[in-house]
Amino acid sequence: MQADTHGGRAKCLQRLVRLDLPVPRTIALSFDAVHRIAAGEMPDMAALLAPFGATPLLCVRPSSEDPDWGGPNAVLNIGMNDARYLDLSEQIGKQAASDIYLRFVQSYAIHVARLDPDVFEEVAPDPVQGLGEALRAYEDETDEAFPQDPAVQLGQVLRSMARAWEGTTARLLRQAKGAPKDAGLGLVVQQLALGIGPGESGSGVMQLVDSRTGAQQITGRYLSQSQGRDALRGGEDSIFLTRDPRGPSLEELAPDAFAEIRAHTRLMREKLREEMQTEFTIEDGKVWILDGIRVARNARAAVAIAVALAEDGIIPREEALMRVEPRALNELLHRQVDPEAPRDILAHGIAASPGAASGKVVFTAAEAQAAAARGEPCVLVRRETSPEDIRGMHAASAILTERGGITSHAAVIGRGIGLPCVVGASDIRFQTRRKMLTMPGGQVIRAGETITVDGTNGEVLAGEAPLLEAARDAAFQTLMSWADETRDIAVRANADTPADAELARNFNARGIGLCRTEHMFFEADRLTVMREMIFADTSEDRAAVLERLLPMQRADFADLFRIMQGQPVCIRLFDPPLHEFLPADRAGHLQLAEALDMPVSDVTRRVEALGEYNPMLGMRGVRLGITVPEIYDMQARAIFEATLEASREGEAPVVPEIMIPLVSARREVEIVKTRIDAVAAAVRNERQRDFAYRLGVMVETPRAALRAGEIAPLVSFLSFGTNDLTQMTYGLSRDDAGRFMSAYVQQGVFPEDPFHVLDTDGVGELLRIGAERGRAANPDIVLSICGEHGGNPESISFCRDAGFTYVSCSPFRVPVARLAAAQLSVRDRIGTPEAVLAQDPSRSVG
């Protein structure tokens, strides 16, 4: 019997029988048999009933290939009729027999005859009286007596469940969960263990781990005089399994049965190689195992369970790695909204940076900093963020923007510093001047009111939602160490500050793959100096102003080198257009005029002169470095002086990597390289000390990828900036694409948002061309990607296949990338993920 022909529940029960566990007699119907039943082709019911004896009581349960796909409700007590009722009344008492019959009548009426549940609302709570009322209600609604023939009852149950599975609504629901259109359903017909009757009788569930933490502890509930999963709905009458000071337990009530169930569950863990939840029934002291279900778990528990199974020798480490979804690690790295708590959703946007946080709404970076100074958590609300908002973003607990997509400024910075972020919330009316938000449902949120931003799900919630803390525990560290032993591609971090670098080290990144130096210029003491440089009229004046920034940059770089302790650090030279450092409104112009002792009209004219129709395609990156070379000269000197300062006696010398952004032509590289080499020579001469460095380019334009063969001989590395490369290849603004991207994906224009998942066909072809031509011209060239795609498992797979040396991503995505890379390595060595998971009950155990 296979899970893909009879379903996971049937496969699991077959295994339990082979383990000699006390499973009631069971017959499994295949997907094909159930499909024929749905079409009206019924099996021989007499033959189906024969193995169960003369007067059986049965239950029918669904058995889909994947339990997450759902299925019709189980139906218990099939075979109950007037004659069987009289027999049971003598055996177990009229009250218990009435309870069993009443349960079946109501279940059959609702799930098979499709009667409205309201029909039975007035049925008396006493089973004896309620049974008569329920039978009369059934007859009134259907104009026929309740069926008495067990064969008819079973046939109608099977037909109803089969047709329910193949109905349009059920099909759409399971397809939404990832099931194929032709997903099959098996049905399991099982002799019933009553759980209601004399002696100690009842039902319950047991598992050996906590579903939220993965900790080894017996959890579950038991309810006397119950059936199925009643114990989980039994309220105050349900009792604990193990001894507990809060109340009675099964261990005290029926110690022998408790010990037997625990032993069976442990055996299932060992032999099925999975943490299982055991569904059991006790019938007059005798234990029956009705089912085994893979324990439900969150990400934290999934990691703990996989590691524990491997450490106990039940599964190999490679399989433990394959059992954890890389993206699920985000739940461990960030605080999350408690999934069991009610969610008052105000609005939806794009889930741009995972995690959740609550805080009072503020509308400016200055307000965010003020709130942080008072120790008040806040949510920074902006139409869209800009580099000027950096300090406010660091001060905030979360970010919410009206505009932007997955690679917008807010999204990239949010992921980099681990800040929950929802962008592109265009359904919200942002009234920033009036400091209020109007939600799609009409609710108004004003400055100072509290909201929760769920960056994992892209939701804005009312008030302060209950949060679960991040959980980077010992199991997580163990799994990551196994991943590092297994993976064959390096993972670096994008880190702009010493705090980012510390985070990268903590997440075991193998160096910094992208340090965006422009973020260092937005501190208050540096921003004014930058503005003075922008307003300088001559090269000499600019150099003089930049001389004041030199020691600050040098200290920044020295800190990064020390923190990374010999790991490579790739520093991207100044990239953004200069206008980003200037105020955009009249009040800002006035403040700048006062700071620079200039007429406000001169300031306004200079700001307007620096304006561009399309700044993303204007004077930025290497173009700025060539036209205003003093900036790159200063940064190169700061890097080289920091290199000497951070290189310690007796340790491996620091070898910085300098990256030129937005290159399109070989000549651009030649010009910048000449100046950087000259600065290096000057520093060596002044300090009388030698050092090495590597120069490379950031491939962000299609032309740079196409002409990589010309560029590669001049440099040591090519790092593909896939954010801008995607933007330029598609001709899409990464900040504005979020407005229509969901519609494009829904209608099949693009399979996925190309800013979220690397377009391996179009952009990927440019990467392959660049890699092949670059490697042909310079066999020793180092290849990498440093855009946000670097943390995606799909992108990492592409990079491995294309022969890239490393990927780089935001610090909080480093663990995701490390695990994804390890899984790809396992897949390549063993064949396919299915080969590793061939015996994984998560696929075959229902």
Side-chain angles (χ1 to χ4, degrees), residues 30 57 355:
S30 69
L57 288 184

Side-chain angles (χ1 to χ4, degrees), residues 299 303 320-322 324-334 354 415-418 470-473 475-487 489-494 500-511 788-793 796 807-824:
V303 171
L321 289 170
M322 299 299 287
V324 178
E325 167 62 36
R327 288 188 178 90
L329 295 183
N330 284 322
E331 291 184 30
L332 280 70
L333 304 176
H334 306 274
R415 287 193 292 272
I417 62 179
R472 289 169 247 163
D473 52 17
F476 169 77
Q477 301 296 344
T478 299
L479 188 77
M480 289 293 98
S481 69
W482 295 347
D484 290 338
E485 293 170 6
T486 304
R487 62 185 170 85
I489 186 171
V491 179
R492 295 195 195 180
N494 300 341
D500 293 342
E502 291 281 7
L503 201 56
R505 287 292 300 189
N506 291 340
F507 286 139
N508 208 26
R510 293 294 188 250
E788 283 300 301
H789 295 106
N792 288 345
I796 296 169
V807 298
S808 188
C809 55
S810 303
F812 277 97
R813 303 182 83 183
V814 166
V816 175
R818 289 161 59 197
L819 179 58
Q823 291 184 348
L824 291 165

Side-chain angles (χ1 to χ4, degrees), residues 484-787:
D484 290 338
E485 293 170 6
T486 304
R487 62 185 170 85
D488 53 13
I489 186 171
V491 179
R492 295 195 195 180
N494 300 341
D496 305 331
T497 66
D500 293 342
E502 291 281 7
L503 201 56
R505 287 292 300 189
N506 291 340
F507 286 139
N508 208 26
R510 293 294 188 250
I512 294 176
L514 173 62
C515 172
R516 292 162 286 219
T517 54
E518 58 268 16
H519 293 155
M520 300 174 176
F521 292 107
F522 283 96
E523 294 297 326
D525 57 340
R526 307 180 187 196
L527 186 57
T528 301
V529 180
M530 271 299 294
R531 288 171 171 174
E532 286 185 43
M533 187 277 295
I534 293 169
F535 276 77
D537 292 322
T538 67
S539 174
E540 291 76 13
D541 290 342
R542 284 194 292 271
V545 176
L546 288 167
E547 190 71 25
R548 291 154 55 194
L549 283 175
L550 175 63
M552 303 176 192
Q553 283 267 274
R554 182 172 60 231
D556 291 333
F557 298 142
D559 283 344
L560 291 179
F561 294 149
R562 292 191 188 101
I563 291 168
M564 296 314 294
Q565 301 172 5
Q567 297 278 19
V569 176
C570 182
I571 298 169
R572 184 180 73 182
L573 296 175
F574 192 87
D575 180 58
L578 293 178
H579 77 86
E580 289 192 1
F581 293 88
L582 299 176
D585 56 21
R586 175 76 178 176
H589 294 175
L590 180 58
Q591 290 178 357
L592 182 55
E594 291 174 351
L596 300 181
D597 192 23
M598 294 176 62
V600 69
S601 58
D602 289 354
V603 171
T604 301
R605 276 194 296 272
R606 181 62 64 89
V607 171
E608 291 174 351
L610 286 170
E612 296 179 289
Y613 288 110
N614 192 336
M616 292 303 293
L617 300 179
M619 195 172 78
R620 54 172 284 234
V622 69
R623 302 157 195 167
L624 190 62
I626 289 174
T627 54
V628 189
E630 298 81 14
I631 299 176
Y632 282 10
D633 289 350
M634 180 275 290
Q635 289 193 302
R637 175 172 284 275
I639 292 169
F640 297 142
E641 291 180 355
T643 296
L644 295 175
E645 186 178 316
S647 294
R648 299 170 183 155
E649 196 73 36
E651 295 182 3
V654 173
V655 181
E657 298 175 354
I658 300 175
M659 184 157 63
I660 309 170
L662 212 67
V663 164
S664 293
R666 172 188 173 93
R667 182 57 183 156
E668 290 173 320
V669 181
E670 289 175 339
I671 293 170
V672 175
K673 184 178 189 302
T674 298
R675 293 192 73 103
I676 291 176
D677 288 344
V679 174
V683 173
R684 289 189 184 104
N685 185 54
E686 293 164 11
R687 300 295 183 91
Q688 292 298 298
R689 289 175 62 188
D690 197 13
F691 58 85
Y693 69 94
R694 289 186 279 269
L695 184 69
V697 301
M698 193 170 184
V699 180
E700 303 168 86
T701 68
R703 193 178 194 280
L706 295 172
R707 308 309 296 169
E710 295 179 354
I711 296 170
L714 299 176
V715 297
S716 300
F717 63 89
L718 300 175
S719 186
F720 291 82
T722 53
N723 296 351
D724 269 353
L725 186 57
T726 298
Q727 181 170 238
M728 295 188 187
T729 303
Y730 274 83
L732 282 176
S733 166
R734 67 189 192 190
D735 294 312
D736 297 322
R739 298 181 183 181
F740 58 85
M741 189 55 67
S742 60
Y744 261 52
V745 173
Q746 288 171 5
Q747 296 184 51
V749 179
F750 303 146
E752 294 286 350
D753 181 342
F755 293 109
H756 186 54
V757 177
L758 181 66
D759 165 29
T760 55
D761 295 330
V763 178
E765 185 172 358
L766 285 172
L767 263 65
R768 287 190 184 277
I769 290 171
E772 292 167 1
R773 293 179 181 178
R775 196 180 289 117
N778 180 356
D780 297 325
I781 197 84
V782 171
L783 302 170
S784 67
I785 66 171
C786 60

